[in-house]
Amino acid sequence: MVLLLAAAVGIIAANLYYAQPIVAMISQALGLAPEAAGLVVTLTQVGYGLGVLLMVPLGDMLENRRLVMTMIALTILGLLGLAFATQLIPYFIAAFATGLGASTVQIIVPYVAHFAPEMRRGQVVGSLMSGLMIGIMLSRPTASLLTDLFSWHAVFVLSAVLMTILAVVLYLVLPPRPPSNKNLRYGSLLKSMGHLYLTTPILRRRALYQAFLFGAFSLFWTASPLLLAGPDFNLSQTAIAVFALVGVSGAIAAPLAGWAADKGWSQKATKMAMLISAGSFLLSHIFSAGSTAALAALVVSAILLDAGITANLVLGQRAIFALQAEYRSRLNGLFIATIFVGGAIGSTLGAWAYAYGGWNLTAWIGFTMPALAFLVFLTEKKA
């Protein structure tokens, strides 16, 4: 069941990133101006962000299995809309719906945590986060490959088919999970989230740590393809896709981090995750730009950064899932929403830094983000 749900969260999360490497082709087909091409991806991300804040908390109020199936159905409709849209407005509506539906991932994680025994909860969450990160990392090269073989429409058609198969399987095997807050009203549910954020220090801290680290991750994967395709390395899109695939191996850190958390070693593991994430950017400065050694160092940097942010994500979710079970979906929604803001800032900084200061400036900003998280972490014992 854990393996199935790890695959499920990866398959669902991939829908958020399929469009990134094929933005130019989609925007050209829809007649979108080059300066506005980012909307192809942005509206999916906006839908996901709103889903995390407005839909994920429903896991504390509605029967979880039914909620998951409804959200997956919304994702399938959104994907079909993306596949067959020929005009901008229908495409944008479909992109928003796809992102909204993809927030199902953050309903599934606390749902699984509810069934996991306390002594293994970290390992279970870690397995799901491995699936999540693998899905994210595989989405870009998969989209590029399918577009080369067929067209960009095929990416969304095949994803809709895969999501339909997943929906059938989950419908057959998922157990029901009625929440304890059946009588809670939606308005009260949303209102309570502000109170939970203000009165839960561990949530605020863990969300801030991961926002810094995910910002560094987004910065790296925004700027590194530009570096690899540039004059220093001059790699093809296929080679860049292979580079992204190698980075997936860092996801192996997720179950290890979960195991460490279950053993009571969360503080040590958090410190290590932050230091590894920061150190991954320093590694890229060692060798001269364009050399084989520099390319190898960048590959290792990608693996280490992926490992660091994945491990810290697991440690953060393990910590908040140890709190009251009746609040898990709301706590997870707040946690992921904060991370999402960090990722958006990181992506923006990555593009800006590379344009104005090349990889040197980009890498130093990337180093600074987990370094700041580490400095905040050092105050935790005194708080």
Side-chain angles (χ1 to χ4, degrees):
M1 181 66 78
V2 172
L3 181 62
L4 170 63
L5 290 171
V9 297
I11 291 168
I12 297 169
N15 293 306
L16 295 168
Y17 299 95
Y18 284 134
Q20 284 188 344
I22 53 176
V23 163
M25 281 166 279
I26 295 174
S27 58
Q28 184 177 7
L30 298 175
L32 187 62
E35 59 271 20
L39 290 173
V40 168
V41 176
T42 301
L43 283 169
T44 306
Q45 300 292 332
V46 169
Y48 178 76
L50 289 177
V52 164
L53 281 176
L54 302 179
M55 305 301 290
V56 170
L58 288 171
D60 289 336
M61 191 175 99
L62 302 178
E63 197 281 304
N64 287 189
R65 177 175 174 270
R66 187 178 304 157
L67 179 59
V68 167
M69 301 311 302
T70 302
M71 295 291 285
I72 289 178
L74 176 61
T75 311
I76 294 169
L77 289 175
L79 288 166
L80 291 173
L82 292 175
F84 297 109
T86 56
Q87 296 180 334
L88 282 176
I89 299 303
Y91 183 92
F92 288 160
I93 293 172
F96 180 83
T98 300
L100 192 68
S103 65
T104 314
V105 166
Q106 302 306 334
I107 299 172
I108 291 175
V109 176
Y111 165 82
V112 176
H114 172 79
F115 290 106
E118 176 68 24
M119 66 184 67
R120 291 193 62 245
R121 186 169 292 144
Q123 296 174 64
V124 171
V125 171
S127 296
L128 263 62
M129 290 305 100
S130 288
L132 176 71
M133 295 307 299
I134 290 171
I136 291 173
M137 298 296 287
L138 289 178
S139 62
R140 299 178 183 94
T142 299
S144 296
L145 179 62
L146 288 174
T147 301
D148 284 342
L149 292 176
F150 305 105
S151 73
W152 65 266
H153 300 277
V155 176
F156 302 115
V157 170
L158 291 176
S159 181
V161 171
L162 188 59
M163 288 290 294
T164 302
I165 295 170
L166 176 66
V168 172
V169 174
L170 293 182
Y171 179 80
L172 294 174
V173 303
L174 285 186
R177 191 248 155 178
S180 57
N181 301 305
K182 293 181 181 179
N183 298 322
L184 189 63
R185 294 181 180 273
Y186 185 61
S188 300
L189 183 81
L190 295 181
K191 187 177 179 181
S192 69
M193 292 175 70
H195 177 73
L196 283 173
Y197 194 83
L198 292 174
T199 58
T200 314
I202 188 64
L203 167 65
R204 295 197 303 273
R205 279 188 167 272
R206 284 290 171 178
L208 181 62
Y209 299 160
Q210 189 61 18
F212 275 121
L213 267 66
F214 191 61
F217 176 84
S218 298
L219 174 142
F220 181 92
W221 288 106
T222 297
S224 60
L226 300 175
L227 172 66
L228 294 170
D232 286 339
F233 295 103
N234 197 29
L235 297 186
S236 67
Q237 287 301 311
T238 301
I240 294 172
V242 172
F243 175 84
L245 286 172
V246 174
V248 172
S249 58
I252 195 174
L256 296 176
W259 174 80
D262 289 339
K263 292 290 185 180
W265 301 337
S266 287
Q267 296 295 95
K268 292 180 181 178
T270 299
K271 185 185 298 184
M272 184 175 294
M274 292 176 177
L275 292 176
I276 287 173
S277 299
S280 67
F281 284 96
L282 296 180
L283 191 62
S284 66
H285 287 291
I286 296 176
F287 302 102
S288 58
S291 65
T292 302
L295 180 59
L298 198 64
V299 170
V300 176
S301 295
I303 295 170
L304 291 177
L305 180 61
D306 189 23
I309 75 106
T310 304
N312 197 67
L313 176 61
V314 172
L315 294 166
Q317 289 193 304
R318 174 66 171 80
I320 65 171
F321 291 159
L323 304 175
Q324 296 98 317
E326 63 269 25
Y327 299 135
R328 275 187 190 139
S329 290
R330 279 168 283 179
L331 292 170
N332 194 48
L334 290 165
F335 179 73
I336 298 299
T338 306
I339 295 170
F340 184 83
V341 172
I345 292 172
S347 295
T348 304
L349 281 176
W352 174 86
Y354 192 80
Y356 286 95
W359 182 253
N360 188 54
L361 176 62
T362 305
W364 281 116
I365 293 175
F367 166 81
T368 300
M369 298 177 84
L372 287 173
F374 182 70
L375 291 177
V376 177
F377 171 74
L378 292 179
T379 70
E380 185 169 317
K381 294 180 180 179
K382 300 176 184 179

